Amino acid sequence: MARVFNFSAGPSMLPLEVLETAQKELIEFGNSGMSVMEMSHRSPVYDAIIKETEANFRKLMNIPDNYKVLFLQGGASTQFAAVPLNLMKTGKADYVVSGQFSGKAFKEAKKYGDAKCIATSEDKTFSYIPEITPDMVREDADYVHVCYNNTIFGTKFPEVPNVGDKVLVADMSSCITSEPVDVTKFGVIYAGAQKNMAPAGLTVVIIREDLMGNAREDIPTMLDYKTMADNDSMYNTPPCYAIYIAGLVYKWALENGGLEAMKERNEKKANILYDFLDNSTLFKATAEKNSRSMMNVCFVTGDADLDKKFCKEAADAGFVNLKGHRSVGGMRASIYNAMPIEGVEALVEFMAKFEQENK
């Protein structure tokens, strides 16, 4: 079997053990006589699957009992509308724009109320995380929204932003389950699962119970958090197979030490790559040091043609999907939980060789 090192930002690589289990259970799950892809979401067998998935996710993230876990569809981008439609009581919300996706969330929120950008790092091409202090937040804002990890620009909030007593909403699509998080500091956490938890098609929302039930009257039913919670994420047919895979990933993470162990592994991987970049004469990391992401490492050579050459030769050598986002160019190595340390070590070795050959 010749598997490549897949550095895609999403959909991204999954743990090999998870794929092997899914392969083994593809034709028949347990003694059900059918695949998970074929069974009714209302069946007792699938009911057990989704309940175990939620239980393991709660254990992994240490989610308190007064928070609901929702398994939804539509990607994190759908949450850009769902959040203001559910949470804008006064019609005001504050946004931190630290990258492309937080910018899209801000633009979407402006359709439904008075959304204000209270901080941005656009002045330096989103290469850093702007500072947030409670005095920046409007007194009558219903919530403050942040994108916790910026996939395209390789930045991450170094700590939970201080927004005073306001509800903090975070898009954690590209960093969820990468390290321990104090869920109680957030009102809502949402994430597309295709980066660190499952294949594309599943979106996970963690929401504090008291924040539900205040949605606008004209909210589409499918975007109403209370409707989804009251129906245990089964108002309609959920993304059954993606939820099943997420369950396998959560179980894998728990069996491998939980989020403390994930953080230790991820820090080690990121340090290997950033240490090389900081000492390279050819490659340069684009994110400022105090804002660097552990999950998405962005870098350039300073020469677009050389960047293109690097990506091609890297792919030929088995290091795929290193091309940066089309909006910024350069390179990006996404090193989520499933990326083994050996993959990062091999990439650095290849980069050192490329540097020697292209002085």
Side-chain angles (χ1 to χ4, degrees):
M1 179 173 64
R3 282 179 60 78
V4 297
F5 287 119
N6 179 12
F7 292 92
S8 172
S12 58
M13 69 182 298
L14 290 163
L16 182 58
E17 298 93 322
V18 167
L19 294 175
E20 289 172 339
T21 299
Q23 180 186 47
K24 199 179 303 180
E25 297 177 338
L26 179 62
I27 304 300
E28 181 183 14
F29 177 81
N31 296 315
S32 67
M34 66 186 85
S35 170
V36 174
M37 286 188 280
E38 302 172 297
M39 64 179 59
S40 167
H41 61 295
R42 306 288 183 189
S43 68
V45 178
Y46 191 77
D47 184 60
I49 290 173
I50 194 170
K51 283 180 177 175
E52 182 181 15
T53 297
E54 180 178 339
N56 282 335
F57 183 54
R58 284 183 174 277
K59 184 177 180 181
L60 187 65
M61 292 278 294
N62 193 26
I63 300 172
D65 291 340
N66 65 322
Y67 282 74
K68 290 289 188 181
V69 171
L70 309 177
F71 296 119
L72 308 175
Q73 299 171 76
S77 295
T78 298
Q79 297 307 307
F80 298 165
V83 167
L85 287 171
N86 279 276
L87 303 186
M88 268 190 181
K89 295 179 186 177
T90 68
K92 293 184 178 181
D94 290 347
Y95 278 69
V96 178
V97 178
S98 56
Q100 186 177 107
F101 292 111
S102 53
K104 287 182 176 181
F106 172 54
K107 181 179 179 182
E108 191 75 7
K110 287 197 289 186
K111 296 178 181 179
Y112 307 110
D114 177 7
K116 178 184 178 182
C117 174
I118 59 170
T120 183
S121 50
E122 189 174 10
D123 61 320
K124 293 185 179 180
T125 322
F126 301 116
S127 60
Y128 69 99
I129 295 296
E131 183 181 357
I132 313 298
T133 56
D135 61 285
M136 299 167 66
V137 181
R138 290 181 291 179
E139 289 186 8
D140 53 353
D142 292 312
Y143 63 87
V144 179
H145 179 284
V146 300
C147 183
Y148 214 58
N149 186 88
N150 299 282
T151 322
I152 293 175
F153 299 95
T155 61
K156 178 187 174 294
F157 278 81
E159 56 190 18
V160 179
N162 183 0
V163 296
D165 60 355
K166 292 299 177 183
V167 172
L168 181 60
V169 178
D171 176 354
M172 289 193 182
S173 293
S174 52
C175 64
I176 195 164
T177 74
S178 64
E179 62 180 345
V181 171
D182 185 352
V183 174
T184 65
K185 291 185 177 181
F186 300 85
V188 178
I189 294 171
Y190 65 88
Q194 71 276 10
K195 298 175 183 294
N196 219 13
M197 297 189 290
L202 169 65
T203 307
V204 177
V205 173
I206 305 168
I207 178 168
R208 206 173 66 215
E209 288 181 342
D210 64 288
L211 296 175
M212 297 187 300
N214 301 298
R216 288 169 44 144
E217 289 186 6
D218 60 350
I219 189 173
T221 301
M222 288 297 295
L223 299 187
D224 188 340
Y225 292 143
K226 190 173 188 307
T227 297
M228 294 299 114
D230 288 347
N231 288 275
D232 297 321
S233 301
M234 290 197 187
Y235 179 81
N236 71 326
T237 307
C240 297
Y241 198 73
I243 292 170
Y244 155 75
I245 296 293
L248 295 181
V249 172
Y250 301 150
K251 191 180 297 184
W252 169 83
L254 288 168
E255 290 173 349
N256 284 275
L259 297 193
E260 287 289 353
M262 292 298 116
K263 179 183 180 182
E264 185 178 341
R265 282 161 42 100
N266 291 329
E267 285 180 338
K268 184 175 181 180
K269 289 184 294 184
N271 287 338
I272 290 170
L273 189 44
Y274 282 123
D275 285 348
F276 172 80
L277 291 170
D278 288 341
N279 290 285
S280 172
T281 57
L282 178 62
F283 299 100
K284 177 186 176 183
T286 56
E288 294 186 9
K289 285 189 176 183
N290 61 350
S291 297
R292 286 176 172 177
S293 167
M294 284 196 301
M295 297 285 94
N296 311 102
V297 181
C298 298
F299 56 98
V300 295
T301 64
D303 182 323
D305 289 335
L306 197 56
D307 288 352
K308 186 176 180 180
K309 180 183 179 184
F310 171 79
C311 290
K312 182 183 184 307
E313 292 187 10
D316 291 342
F319 305 98
V320 303
N321 294 313
L322 282 166
K323 184 179 179 181
H325 191 270
R326 60 187 178 279
S327 64
V328 296
M331 283 75 69
R332 173 178 55 184
S334 294
I335 49 178
Y336 300 121
N337 290 354
M339 173 61 68
I341 290 174
E342 293 77 14
V344 178
E345 290 173 336
L347 174 62
V348 166
E349 185 179 336
F350 174 81
M351 292 172 70
K353 178 174 177 288
F354 184 87
E355 183 174 313
Q356 287 297 316
E357 294 172 351
N358 291 272
K359 286 183 177 180

